[in-house]
Amino acid sequence: MEIQKIRTHKIYEAIAEQIKEQIVSGGLKPGEKLPSTKELSERFQVGRSTVREALSALKAMGLVEIHQGEGSYVRSIESRDVGLPEFDSLLMSKETVLELIEARKALEIAGAGMAAEKRTDEDLRKFEAVLQRMEAYLGDEEEGERSDIEFHLILSEATHNSIMVRLIDSISSQMQTAIRETRRLEMYANRQVSIRLWQEHQAVYEAIRGQNAAAAQEQMGRHLAHVEQILLKFLKK
């Protein structure tokens, strides 16, 4: 007799699974815009942060695209995409998290150097806006997470290299899923930790603004080493 492991889904996993089924079945068409976070939270009767978690997981699976300030859209998927990892592997083994950490460090440290060399005045304005928001909401878990994601998105775009943008975005999405599992460590809710994270992001920005590629890479390395330290502490539990 074949049996399958029984596991309890978290709420955002169940929501993501429902949306995934509609995408795969064709109920939601490629390019179609999903309802807003507010509307989805009302339909599922959950908080907006839970909906954002579900959308982030779908993005990591390659099923949706999230455009800042515009909304979420269904991606075109091919038959090979349907077999993407399920939540068991996505949410995720220790070995997978360690490999993601290594890949993220390699990509984002290199990306920070590229951004320092190629950033524009418009890139700097975007960095400044997200850093101001990050500082204003120190200790706010939800806003801290959102600002962190946006900072790294801006950095990838500041490389002005479309391949790097896609690579960093893909790795960062799955890394954020792993980071979300550390909430009990109060990564963003702990004010002292969030202050340090803000300072680290600020240091990366200052190096990029000064077009100092070596310093940008060094500061990004320090920041990611801190994040890695938090994740590894969680994985040992």
Side-chain angles (χ1 to χ4, degrees):
M1 180 179 73
E2 291 186 5
I3 60 173
Q4 294 183 347
K5 179 182 177 182
I6 298 175
R7 63 190 298 271
T8 302
H9 282 296
K10 295 181 181 178
I11 295 175
Y12 79 86
E13 294 179 22
I15 293 172
E17 188 63 30
Q18 283 194 45
I19 297 174
K20 175 189 171 183
E21 288 175 0
Q22 292 188 51
I23 293 173
V24 173
S25 68
L28 288 169
K29 306 298 183 184
E32 185 174 345
K33 184 177 182 180
L34 296 178
S36 68
T37 302
K38 180 177 182 294
E39 187 175 347
L40 286 172
S41 70
E42 292 172 350
R43 289 189 188 184
F44 286 106
Q45 296 186 338
V46 298
R48 295 190 193 184
S49 61
T50 301
V51 171
R52 277 192 285 270
E53 290 173 356
L55 293 174
S56 180
L58 289 165
K59 178 182 176 183
M61 296 170 70
L63 297 177
V64 304
E65 294 178 341
I66 301 175
H67 301 288
Q68 294 291 333
E70 296 180 22
S72 302
Y73 296 81
V74 178
R75 284 191 61 199
S76 297
I77 59 172
E78 300 177 15
S79 58
R80 65 176 182 271
D81 294 321
V82 178
L84 285 168
E86 298 290 342
F87 289 113
D88 276 329
S89 58
L90 186 65
L91 283 178
M92 57 194 39
S93 71
K94 178 178 180 179
E95 291 71 23
T96 301
V97 173
L98 292 174
E99 289 182 353
L100 277 171
I101 289 171
E102 289 180 343
R104 186 187 187 193
K105 285 165 69 176
L107 282 171
E108 292 216 50
I109 289 174
M114 292 176 65
E117 294 173 345
K118 300 170 70 175
R119 91 321 183 255
T120 64
D121 289 342
E122 178 60 24
D123 293 326
L124 295 182
R125 282 191 286 272
K126 291 179 180 178
F127 275 123
E128 289 164 2
V130 73
L131 285 167
Q132 287 174 5
R133 191 161 65 254
M134 194 180 290
E135 184 181 17
Y137 288 93
L138 290 172
D140 184 311
E141 181 180 21
E142 187 172 310
E143 185 59 43
E145 180 183 15
R146 185 184 302 119
S147 299
D148 192 304
I149 293 171
E150 187 174 348
F151 180 92
H152 289 273
L153 175 63
I154 293 168
L155 185 140
S156 70
E157 293 174 344
T159 66
H160 296 280
N161 180 306
S162 62
I163 302 300
M164 284 294 287
V165 171
R166 292 172 63 185
L167 288 171
I168 292 175
D169 188 46
S170 176
I171 292 294
S172 294
S173 294
Q174 296 194 46
M175 197 72 245
Q176 202 62 36
T177 302
I179 289 174
R180 187 168 290 118
E181 295 301 298
T182 70
R183 286 195 169 194
R184 63 193 178 99
L185 298 177
E186 299 184 333
M187 185 168 180
Y188 300 110
N190 183 303
R191 184 173 175 82
Q192 292 305 312
V193 174
S194 63
I195 289 173
R196 180 174 169 184
L197 291 171
W198 170 73
Q199 291 172 336
E200 290 166 357
H201 286 101
Q202 185 72 34
V204 173
Y205 161 72
E206 293 293 348
I208 290 174
R209 185 180 67 173
Q211 296 188 297
N212 187 330
Q217 291 179 323
E218 179 183 355
Q219 294 300 334
M220 178 58 76
R222 289 181 179 178
H223 167 58
L224 294 180
H226 178 208
V227 174
E228 178 181 7
Q229 181 183 38
I230 295 173
L231 284 171
L232 291 178
K233 188 183 300 181
F234 169 74
L235 289 172
K236 290 176 181 178
K237 292 183 179 293

